Amino acid sequence: DLLLGAGVQWTPQWGFDSTVQFNPKTSRSIRSTVVARYSPGAYRTISAAYRLQGANATQVTTSKQIDVGWQWPINSPREDGNKSLNPTRGQDGGRWYSVGRVYYSLSDRRMTDALFGIEYDSCCWIGRLAWRRRQTQTLPAVVNNSIMVQLELTGLTRIGTGALQAFREMIPGYTPLREPRLYQTSRFERYD
């Protein structure tokens, strides 16, 4: 198979990516993905993707899926509104953030995977609460639900389940609170 990809950073805030997995023997696309991202500042990102997955010589498409992921502040306790500070300092204490990602199968007309969470940055500690719903089997549909709670004492330690790890793995463009983003991930790093 051949894996082709292209990305355009239209503006500093807007980016678009596309990938295609092509099988030259069957002359068919096995997987295709189109992604749009909007990231106007630190701790603010929204992405939307449309995926097609082909099957074999008799079926053109077996799966059509959309997914939406985000990280966004919920409140603005500072007088200057949503102005971002240095990523290692966060955006002052008392701020809530909404994070999540939802996968929806257009073929099956149902949500197949989801992660919803909130983060609270108090300046000295960060609290995280997340709920994850994962489909582990398609026919019949079997769903696994989990709740993750995590307390981070800023600069010292993290206590609790892997909410931060789930956010990092599932939410495109997610930036951990009070941690600088050291590198930009490649669109091929996690080819879904």
Side-chain angles (χ1 to χ4, degrees), residues 83-111:
K83 184 178 176 186
S84 296
L85 297 175
N86 181 325
T88 59
R89 290 183 51 211
Q91 296 183 313
D92 286 347
R95 187 172 291 246
W96 290 88
Y97 298 84
S98 169
V99 293
R101 189 166 186 180
V102 176
Y103 292 87
Y104 183 81
S105 171
L106 297 170
S107 306
D108 300 331
R109 293 188 171 126
R110 66 177 161 196
M111 183 172 58

Side-chain angles (χ1 to χ4, degrees), residues 27 46 69 183 185 191:
S27 297
I46 297 174
Y183 68 95
T185 58
Y191 179 63

Side-chain angles (χ1 to χ4, degrees), residues 158 163-172 174 176 179 190:
R158 292 185 185 110
L164 179 61
Q165 186 65 28
F167 294 163
R168 282 181 172 156
E169 289 175 1
M170 285 195 63
I171 301 168
Y174 173 79
E179 285 184 25
R190 291 199 60 226

Side-chain angles (χ1 to χ4, degrees), residues 1 10 38 49 143 145 160 191:
D1 289 355
W10 197 264
Y38 176 63
V143 176
N145 290 295
Y191 179 63

